[in-house]
Amino acid sequence: VTESTESTRQLNQDLEELASRRGYDTAREKVGLTASFVQHALPYRIPEDEREDFNGTVRSIAGILPPLEVLHRGWGDCDSKSVLFATLLKQVPRQDVVLIHGHGHMFVGFRATPRHGEAHISVRGDNYVLIEMTNPTPLGIISPTFLQALQKRELHIVPIHGATSLANAPRGSKGTKKKRKGKKKRKDKGKRRG
């Protein structure tokens, strides 16, 4: 996601301009516009597991296309479209994203206060509204099958932090370690604690 941010910056600027022309002021409206673009403009299609790079070398891509290649090809599967969406949202200030994967599927969550009836999860005390990238569905609507898998803790959640946000840093740390004042570090003499 981080490596693709620069290459998708122009698309993100175009989406910002479109949001402005349509009068979308809130972060939620802009997220919805970006989700709609990824859902509608890029049809669902499963990529190959390997591809040939520009030098003719065959490389494993595990079925996930990089965001720029999704845009170039004009299609992607759940993994590829979710990574593209996360890449676009990563450029929005103070917007954190999580990728959720398992059971052969991937979808996304964006940090926001959920509205009534919206599917969401909590990660480190922050709420993330869930979004499906493969179907043109509204924010907060995902398959009941995946909701149940989340409740059973069968899916993996991968935080992707916003460009300027430390919202998911451990509380009180602001991303740095605190120094102890007035206390000496205790030496452990080889004894392990359980």
Side-chain angles (χ1 to χ4, degrees), residues 84-97:
L84 170 62
F85 180 73
T87 300
L88 292 170
L89 283 195
K90 186 178 183 324
Q91 297 172 49
V92 177
R94 296 174 302 281
Q95 184 58 67
D96 287 343
V97 181

Side-chain angles (χ1 to χ4, degrees), residues 74-127:
W75 55 264
D77 65 347
C78 60
D79 305 343
S80 304
K81 291 172 71 167
S82 291
V83 171
L84 170 62
F85 180 73
T87 300
L88 292 170
L89 283 195
K90 186 178 183 324
Q91 297 172 49
V92 177
R94 296 174 302 281
Q95 184 58 67
D96 287 343
V97 181
V98 293
L99 294 172
I100 302 137
H101 66 93
H103 292 272
H105 189 56
M106 183 181 285
F107 53 99
V108 186
F110 73 99
R111 188 168 51 90
T113 302
R115 294 181 177 166
H116 178 72
E118 286 183 330
H120 64 281
I121 58 172
S122 180
V123 177
R124 297 183 186 159
D126 292 320
N127 287 317

Side-chain angles (χ1 to χ4, degrees), residues 102-155:
H103 292 272
H105 189 56
M106 183 181 285
F107 53 99
V108 186
F110 73 99
R111 188 168 51 90
T113 302
R115 294 181 177 166
H116 178 72
E118 286 183 330
H120 64 281
I121 58 172
S122 180
V123 177
R124 297 183 186 159
D126 292 320
N127 287 317
Y128 290 80
V129 175
L130 305 178
I131 311 170
E132 176 62 60
M133 288 293 111
T134 56
N135 300 315
T137 55
L139 304 177
I141 305 295
I142 64 165
S143 162
T145 303
F146 293 109
L147 276 177
Q148 290 173 354
L150 273 169
Q151 291 167 349
K152 293 178 181 178
R153 299 183 183 267
E154 296 174 347
L155 303 179

Side-chain angles (χ1 to χ4, degrees), residues 28-45:
R28 181 180 281 269
E29 289 173 322
K30 292 174 184 178
V31 167
L33 177 68
T34 304
S36 183
F37 167 76
V38 174
Q39 291 169 337
H40 291 272
L42 303 166
Y44 179 83
R45 186 168 150 198

Side-chain angles (χ1 to χ4, degrees), residues 7-45:
S7 60
T8 57
R9 194 170 308 279
Q10 183 59 52
L11 172 60
N12 205 54
Q13 289 172 353
D14 292 345
L15 290 169
E16 282 286 330
E17 289 175 20
L18 179 59
S20 179
R21 284 197 308 269
R22 290 189 176 180
Y24 296 167
D25 297 327
T26 68
R28 181 180 281 269
E29 289 173 322
K30 292 174 184 178
V31 167
L33 177 68
T34 304
S36 183
F37 167 76
V38 174
Q39 291 169 337
H40 291 272
L42 303 166
Y44 179 83
R45 186 168 150 198

